[in-house]
Amino acid sequence: MKKTSILDVISRKLSPFILLFGFYLVTYGHLSPGGGFQGGVVIASGIVLLLLCQGTERVQKLFPLTAVSFTEALGFFAFLAMGFLGIFLGSGYLSNFLPIGTPGEVPSAGFILVLNIVIGLKVGAGITLICFYLFKEED
Amino acid sequence: MPEGGIVLFIVVPLAGSFFTLLEKIWPDRRITKPSVLLVFLSCLLILLIYAKPIFQGEEYRIILGNWGGPIGIAQAMDGFAWVGLFLVYAVTFLALIYAFSDKTYDSSFYFFSLILTSGMAGVILAADLFNLFVCLEIVGISAYILIAYAKKERSILASFKYLLLSSLGISIFLLGIFGIYRNTGSLLFSGVAGYFASPTGSARETALILAALIAGLGVRTAFIPFHTWLPEAHSQAPHPVSALLSGVVIKVTFIAVWRLSVISGSLEVRNFLLCSGTITALVGVFWALMQKEIKVLLAWHSVSQMGYIIAGFGAGTLLSVSGSLFHILNHALFKSLLFLSLGLVIILTNEDSLKKIGGLGRKYPLLALFFTFGALSIAGFPPFNGFVSKKLIMVGLKEHPAAYWTLWITSVGTLASFTKLSALFWKKLKKQPLSQSTPLRKGDLQKNSEEEVFQISSMKKAGLNKTAAFFPLVVLSILCLITGLFGRPIFEMLHFLIFRQSPSGIFNPWTMENLWETFLVTSLGVFSYFLVTSRGGEVFQSRIRSLRLSLDWTLVFLLAGFISLGLTVFLSKLP
Amino acid sequence: MLRIYLILILFLLGVFGIILCRNLIKKVIALNIINSALIILFIYLGSLSGDEAPILLDQTGIIVDPVPQALMLTAIVVGICVTALALSLVYKLYKAYGTLDIQEIEKKARENA
């Protein structure tokens, strides 16, 4: 069955907005519904849309497998590092040590913003990896 | 002693697992094995640092992230948790050293093992319900992946069955958490204790919540009727993973069941555990006697010994409860010894059925020695550790004669099936004529038909590193012997850790009565072995082996167990 | 009260689905239905105590209880991981046995053993 050009055009036009929406959910997670995990899944769904419509090779040129794996491992380690920084600078593992600004602005609520970004990257990379491996055709 | 340090028990294996991930990116640097060694040695060191204050009776409680009050993430470490953590780290360390010997385990295997370790530490240290849920799921997901690591078809099916049953069980556990949060607004164990002490809901609701909590955890612990996933999952897993699963994973979930039962203070749950434990012990050993595959036999024995432990806890007397904790320790030691040594036998002969291997004692004398240590420990022979802990549980059960005699028959059955298993080492295979044997390679057709039909290779030919494979076996055998010889001081220490008081009487396992009882059990066991392996016995065995439950019926069993537990608790609260 | 009964009916649908469906993928979908039912149950319980989303911008609104929402975020994540793992196991089983029907798979596994 020949693929029409609808999938190609729509996926290329739509997925940057999906990625942008994912980043919005991640960074505004402490001000409106959203957060690290939710935004990460939306980011991953943007990449999976590209994967379904463009094929594995083209998407892997844009998001190479080693870079995505490294992002996931880095996100894991960054979360642990934030926790340990909590031990050194504050009072106990994962305690809030950044200044809490005025509520309603983006850089407020201490380090929840940083954790959201870390988790968003990790989850996005993780779910993208899951879909890469599930869609790989084994010969 | 810094209180916040108990978080390190969970965080250090997690940090170590990050280093094993790095080996995937840079495959040439050998980061995995040194990082695994470093993680476990440092965890054992931290455990030793905490040993002194814990043995003097101190407890540590922390709440993570400074969110105090009823919704914080709480962790608590007391003496009971110390013993559990020691078990987790020691047995996992030895199983991973065994895995070092085989080159087929790559860095992702160690990654999941380290995450499994950190999850188990989390379950032991958890002091609120949601932390328990998250750590149980971490343990579960790592266990599913590790079982499916063998990539054989049967192991993938076993892992999938375990996944379905376990997820259904955890959903039931979440129902219990819902009930508790609705009635008290708190998730800490102290809130749970307060709720069960003065329940605000109706009796039906309290019964349902308690049944949901215990049944949800019971799936992972594998007492009847939740045991159906265990024989397949533990037998089809790779050998170090089988040792880990049988040795520590089911114990850790039982520690959570222990804590919840003690907190809820419910007598009905204890009675249910007593009945279920004794039935589990008997059914487990009966089915174990009927098996012809080595690892399936050992896995059914795990079910049976968990029955001992659960019955010991359910009886509630001081002796039987400390005996139950002692048996948790001992079972982890001798069961992992058995799985690891018989795993070597399976790798070296490339067969896994009892009917096809025999007479290995001359070729592998060391393996026969390790197996003998393990078999004598599980059967309850005097200088080894099984003797002390089994006697403790049985003496503690003297007031429940039905349970006492059921466990006595179970000991006979255990001995019979281990005689059957030890036939690997001393029994000569019946020489089979060529036409009936398994298909041989082309070169064998010229051989004499009296030749043995299975292959024996040396460790070097099988690609195994000898020191890494034998070191855990030696350590486990020595530990089995030491915990047996020093049984009394260890029992007194465990009694102190659980109950905060030294035992009142002096318990001496080395009485003439106990030794005579062991002799009686041994002779009856050997007699049953000859009965079971006779011609009629073999027919009976294959009949029983062909009765297997399909996946749908195992799920029905799970629900039936949950409903029966709920009914038991509810009906006893009525008047 | 009617709403809690409806959610429990959803939960029972999932339980019956896991037991009665023969297709492996339907079993995984039924497991997801069970998870979703539990998540809705918790969030419904939290929503009984307020009106607005739990973000304190000007301290005047009556917010719903944020604790079940936080708990359920974790439960959703765990559910996704288990579903992903279950689906990859189903895929491996399909490649090994050639069918997605659980009774046929068990029959083939019993014959091979």
Side-chain angles (χ1 to χ4, degrees), chain B residues 338 370-381 418 422:
Chain B
L338 283 169
F370 292 132
F371 170 76
T372 318
F373 268 62
L376 290 180
S377 303
I378 196 174
F381 255 67
F418 272 91
S422 69

Side-chain angles (χ1 to χ4, degrees), chain B residues 152-169:
Chain B
K152 296 182 302 190
E153 310 167 337
R154 287 176 71 188
S155 49
I156 298 181
L157 186 61
S159 173
F160 184 71
K161 284 192 185 185
Y162 182 24
L163 192 152
L164 277 188
L165 279 166
S166 188
S167 301
L168 192 56

Side-chain angles (χ1 to χ4, degrees), chain A:
Chain A
M1 195 168 67
K2 207 166 69 118
K3 227 175 15 173
T4 67
S5 56
I6 284 187
L7 285 175
D8 197 18
V9 169
I10 294 282
S11 65
R12 279 193 295 164
K13 299 289 185 248
L14 204 50
S15 55
F17 288 102
I18 297 182
L19 289 176
L20 187 63
F21 183 63
F23 278 118
Y24 159 74
L25 282 178
V26 167
T27 46
Y28 275 73
H30 53 289
L31 296 175
S32 63
F37 177 71
Q38 295 89 312
V41 174
V42 173
I43 292 177
S45 72
I47 302 180
V48 168
L49 179 67
L50 277 179
L51 197 63
L52 282 174
C53 301
Q54 304 284 340
T56 329
E57 307 94 40
R58 291 180 79 174
V59 175
Q60 290 215 339
K61 271 189 225 151
L62 196 57
F63 296 103
L65 202 61
T66 48
V68 176
S69 309
F70 190 66
T71 315
E72 180 182 13
L74 192 69
F76 180 29
F77 191 60
F79 192 89
L80 275 180
M82 294 294 288
F84 278 120
L85 270 182
I87 290 186
F88 296 140
L89 294 179
S91 47
Y93 187 68
L94 274 183
S95 65
N96 205 342
F97 56 87
L98 291 177
I100 299 182
T102 56
E105 293 188 3
V106 173
S108 60
F111 77 163
I112 291 187
L113 178 63
V114 182
L115 279 184
N116 271 343
I117 295 179
V118 165
I119 296 268
L121 283 177
K122 179 184 196 316
V123 171
I127 298 196
T128 314
L129 269 183
I130 292 180
C131 294
F132 272 168
Y133 282 123
L134 277 179
F135 290 163
K136 209 193 313 191
E137 283 152 15
E138 289 163 298
D139 349 86

